[in-house]
Structures are given as C-alpha cells and as structure tokens.
Amino acid sequence: MACSKKNNSLCEVWDGVTRCSCIRGYIESKSTPSTCVENTQGIIVPDENALSDDAHGVLQVEIKLGYSLPHYNSLNTSNTYDIYVKELNTSLTKFYKDEIGHWLSKVVIRDIRTGSLYVDHFVVYQKREHILSDVIYAVLKLAESGLVIYGKTYNVTNAFIGKDK
C-alpha cells in the first residue's frame, strides 16, 4: 500500500523488510524523502571509444548467468540495480584480474537485465602483444567455470564477445 502512494516506485523485500524503492532513473528527493524525483546526475556508462586509447583496448562481453533474481527484487529499481552492478563488477574484476593479471585496467558494467541474468560489460585492458587472445581465453574460461556472486558460483550459460555478439 505504501508504494502505491509514492510515484515512480516499486515495492521490494530485502532481508525480510518490505520497502519502497525508486525505479531506475529516479532517486529519493532529499527535501521530500517520500518522493522519487528524476535522477539528473545518474551514472553514464562511457562508450567503447571513450575507454580505448593508444595504451588501452576494450572488449565488449555479454554473459548470461544461470541466476534468477529473487521474485521480490527488481532490476527496475535503482537500489537493486546498483547493488547488483556493484557485486557483478567486483566479481568480474576479480575473475579477470586472476586470469590476465595486471594487464586488466578495469571492468565497466554497461547493463544488466533479467531473463536469467544478462551482464553486458566492457573489459578494459592494457595493450600488449597477444593480449586480445588472452582476454578472449579468459572469457572462455569464465563460460566454463562460472562466476561467483554473493559467495556462490553460478553457471555461465552463454557468452557473447564483441559488439555484434
């Protein structure tokens, strides 16, 4: 009932507590906490060209995980989306760092969506000879070994490499 009175929000349950969360693209107003207002300073994901330069290359990767969001959570809310982006970024960074070492510059989550859990991300790496094949090998290993999320390993059911996937 509380969420029906709060525009641009959805009800969610976290740790057994039901609460209203602003939908993606909206944040709670600082002046009126019970109101969701448009987030005009949201995170903008840079495109591939902004991440690559003479020293860095970028590979776009999308994986599909055998993971389903709990039915009481929604990626349509800013809070849940941000929590999953942070967890996935941490997990993917650790994985790629273990595979390609200090050649990894960073992982940038482009988007996540449900239907299992799709994670579209950039792997930004320092350029050197054969690094692209090393990054592709790491993606293949990710597809074979799975990804750890919240302490549990989930299968990667599909992996797509490049813009055209």
Side-chain angles (χ1 to χ4, degrees):
M1 292 297 286
C3 287
S4 66
K5 296 177 183 176
K6 186 175 182 179
N7 288 340
N8 302 309
S9 70
L10 292 172
C11 278
E12 288 192 296
V13 178
W14 277 96
D15 298 326
V17 177
T18 303
R19 65 175 177 206
C20 292
S21 297
C22 296
I23 59 173
R24 281 177 56 193
Y26 290 80
I27 57 174
E28 220 170 74
S29 169
K30 290 180 179 161
S31 59
T32 315
S34 62
T35 304
C36 293
V37 295
E38 188 172 1
N39 183 1
T40 58
Q41 297 179 352
I43 298 170
I44 297 173
V45 176
D47 69 9
E48 184 176 354
N49 295 330
L51 295 170
S52 64
D53 55 30
D54 291 341
H56 296 91
V58 177
L59 183 65
Q60 184 176 341
V61 178
E62 183 176 271
I63 58 174
K64 179 182 176 187
L65 293 168
Y67 175 88
S68 296
L69 245 58
H71 70 283
Y72 46 78
N73 292 130
S74 172
L75 289 178
N76 290 328
T77 65
S78 297
N79 186 49
T80 298
Y81 188 84
D82 292 346
I83 287 168
Y84 275 90
V85 164
K86 183 177 179 183
E87 176 67 17
L88 289 163
N89 197 296
T90 299
S91 295
L92 286 166
T93 298
K94 180 183 180 332
F95 177 83
Y96 287 119
K97 189 68 99 175
D98 288 348
E99 293 303 313
I100 61 173
H102 68 278
W103 298 105
L104 176 71
S105 294
K106 62 182 167 183
V107 173
V108 177
I109 303 290
R110 294 185 67 230
D111 189 32
I112 56 176
R113 62 189 188 283
T114 56
S116 289
L117 188 64
Y118 286 88
V119 185
D120 189 353
H121 61 285
F122 286 134
V123 180
V124 183
Y125 53 87
Q126 296 176 33
K127 289 182 180 175
R128 68 161 170 80
E129 191 174 348
H130 304 296
I131 186 64
L132 186 56
S133 62
D134 291 347
V135 175
I136 291 171
Y137 178 76
V139 173
L140 292 173
K141 189 167 181 184
L142 177 63
E144 292 173 356
S145 63
L147 184 66
V148 176
I149 304 173
Y150 298 114
K152 185 176 176 189
T153 302
Y154 292 92
N155 291 332
V156 174
T157 57
N158 286 319
F160 307 95
I161 299 173
K163 292 178 199 170
D164 299 327
K165 298 181 179 48

